[in-house]
Amino acid sequence: MSGASGRSGGRKLIVAGGGIPGLTLALALAQAHGPALAVAVHDPALPAGAGRHRGRAYAVAAGGRRMLAALGIWERLGAAAEPITEMVISDSRLADPVRPVFLTFGREADAEDGTPFAHMVEAEPLAAALLDACREAGVALVARGIARLEGAGEGAGDGVRAVAPDGTAETASLVVAADGARSRLREAAGIGWVGWSYPQSGIVATIGHDRPHAGRAYEHFLPSGPFAVLPLADGGALGHRSSIVWTERSRDVPALLGGDAAEVLAEIERRFTPELGRLCLEAGPHAYPLSFGIARRFRGTRLALLGDAAHVIHPIAGQGLNLGLADAAALAEAVTGALRLGLDPGSDAVLQEYERARRFDTLAMGAATDGLNRLFSNDALPLRLARDLGLGLVDRMPVLKRFFIGEAAASRGAQPRLMRGERL
């Protein structure tokens, strides 16, 4: 499968990986530069299109929404984007008869432009919208991966050869590794990886329920990890739907998910909020191991790391996709600045600019999510008392609330132009 590729410019950029951050970067650059920059996305899974994303959903923060709006994607999503209008945070043991609420975010969490601080968006319609827009913008969609780069040594000149597994090769000014946490291109470039595995797994599923969620999200902290209920657009067998992100001890996952559908649903009901009534399974559950990791560098010779190829964090704050979108915004801005000055978009100066823009933010978010998980995923009484006191204080202090809202909405500090809703 491929899109239009009849560009006449002398520069080419290849994105290795057709996930959402990679497609977003490709679209941003294709829209900004037209025929002056040939953009291609290589991924062997592209024939499956958006279908490979089925059953997954993301919390898109305000900064990501502004970026997608600037690229013309948000309007294509329409009702598929469900606003989060309230967040309710509780902390208890599974068997406790009462779940005390320690922290809530309501309309005070709205972004500066009055829109919700985050929306829930299912991955399948988001990927479909990006693929359609990429085709329209002339991005070449190539159904094969990139196995290695050749000519990426110190004297790489003005290009590098990106070689596919079948031996075919293309020359590009810059290759972007968006090929996931086990990035083949990152490893081939000799870029180190620092990280560790958690003794936890993430479980995701789409749940149908017969009472409306009214845009309310729940995060219930249990000793094994958080159980989040996140609002989705209406539909399904019972009329209303939510996504769950359930963190559980890995050793317990086979027993929890190994039964029939009724037994699995019963385990979900033990953790789910009773406010949404009768439940059914719409999709999933699917489990995956959780880990933390960050690349020692976000760049190599004519190579930039993007999304999970650069960093993986715990899903406790729902910020994984937002970090990837911020990567795409920062790299698109650095490349665009170079091209408009007639400079080499794959030069080390451009890649250093990208790395400076993203490394601190990534480290800070990774440390925050790791710390939150260690603080909340346990049943130690002193820690329970301390964290519940802390949540209560935040709930009663508007200044602290606004700080945490700004962090969650990706609205604090210097942001790339696309994250501010400005076109390149």
Side-chain angles (χ1 to χ4, degrees):
M1 177 174 63
S2 63
S5 57
R7 296 179 180 274
S8 58
R11 298 288 188 183
K12 183 166 189 174
L13 183 142
I14 292 175
V15 179
I20 289 168
L23 291 172
T24 303
L25 172 68
L27 177 62
L29 289 171
Q31 288 182 350
H33 300 287
L37 179 68
V39 181
V41 176
H42 284 241
D43 192 325
L46 279 173
R52 64 175 170 160
H53 298 278
R54 188 170 292 116
R56 300 174 63 184
Y58 300 106
V60 177
R65 175 190 55 77
R66 288 190 290 265
M67 179 180 184
L68 294 172
L71 297 176
I73 295 299
W74 200 253
E75 63 190 33
R76 297 177 185 238
L77 295 175
E82 181 68 21
I84 298 177
T85 59
E86 185 179 7
M87 185 81 186
V88 178
I89 298 174
S90 58
D91 183 11
S92 70
R93 298 180 178 89
L94 184 58
D96 290 351
V98 177
R99 294 181 181 178
V101 173
F102 291 96
L103 181 60
T104 60
F105 294 109
R107 295 311 302 257
E108 76 274 11
D110 290 354
E112 292 178 1
D113 59 4
T115 57
F117 80 98
H119 287 73
M120 285 301 298
V121 180
E122 290 176 271
E124 189 172 7
L126 176 55
L130 284 165
L131 284 166
D132 288 344
C134 281
R135 293 187 189 98
E136 294 165 12
V139 175
L141 301 173
V142 184
R144 61 176 181 269
I146 300 297
R148 65 185 187 277
L149 303 184
E150 294 180 349
E154 291 299 324
D158 62 356
V160 64
R161 281 169 49 85
V163 184
D166 63 4
T168 58
E170 300 176 52
T171 299
S173 297
L174 177 64
V175 174
V176 179
D179 51 346
R182 298 181 178 179
S183 170
R184 177 185 295 180
L185 292 178
R186 183 190 69 226
E187 292 180 3
I191 299 174
W193 183 258
V194 178
W196 50 82
S197 297
Y198 294 109
Q200 298 169 309
S201 293
I203 302 169
V204 294
T206 301
I207 306 300
H209 43 88
D210 62 4
R211 296 178 190 166
H213 48 58
R216 184 179 295 113
Y218 301 86
E219 182 120 35
H220 182 46
F221 289 108
L222 295 164
S224 59
F227 184 96
V229 180
L230 305 162
L232 296 177
D234 284 347
L238 297 179
H240 310 285
R241 300 179 310 139
S242 291
S243 174
I244 63 167
V245 182
W246 171 12
T247 301
E248 191 57 69
R249 298 182 186 94
S250 295
R251 66 174 184 267
D252 295 333
V253 169
L256 291 169
L257 302 186
D260 59 26
E263 291 171 323
V264 172
L265 186 61
E267 289 292 345
I268 292 172
E269 287 176 328
R270 293 180 67 201
R271 296 159 175 82
F272 208 86
T273 172
E275 297 180 18
L276 299 182
R278 186 163 53 100
L279 307 182
C280 70
L281 272 172
E282 295 277 351
H286 305 290
Y288 59 96
L290 298 181
S291 63
F292 168 84
I294 185 166
R296 290 189 179 276
R297 293 181 286 121
F298 286 9
R299 60 187 172 88
T301 303
R302 298 198 174 275
L303 176 71
L305 306 186
L306 186 82
D308 286 356
H311 44 72
V312 176
I313 65 172
H314 196 283
I316 191 169
Q319 293 297 309
L321 178 66
N322 294 303
L323 282 179
L325 292 176
D327 291 347
L331 184 55
E333 189 166 308
V335 168
T336 293
L339 286 170
R340 288 181 176 161
L341 290 173
L343 302 176
D344 182 354
S347 70
D348 198 49
V350 170
L351 298 181
Q352 285 179 7
E353 178 185 343
Y354 165 61
E355 186 173 56
R356 283 194 301 269
R358 294 302 306 139
R359 191 161 182 82
F360 177 79
D361 181 43
T362 301
L363 282 168
M365 183 59 71
T369 55
D370 182 71
L372 284 172
N373 182 55
R374 294 178 190 278
L375 176 62
F376 284 95
S377 297
N378 65 75
D379 200 28
L381 182 59
L383 282 178
R384 285 175 55 85
L385 293 173
R387 72 198 185 206
D388 293 346
L389 175 62
L391 289 173
L393 287 173
V394 171
D395 199 42
R396 290 165 177 78
M397 298 180 69
V399 173
L400 273 179
K401 255 191 173 183
R402 284 194 295 271
F403 173 81
F404 287 113
I405 289 164
E407 291 296 323
S411 298
R412 298 183 63 84
Q415 298 176 69
R417 291 175 58 187
L418 284 168
M419 301 292 282
R420 302 195 300 264
E422 303 171 12
R423 294 181 65 85
L424 292 174

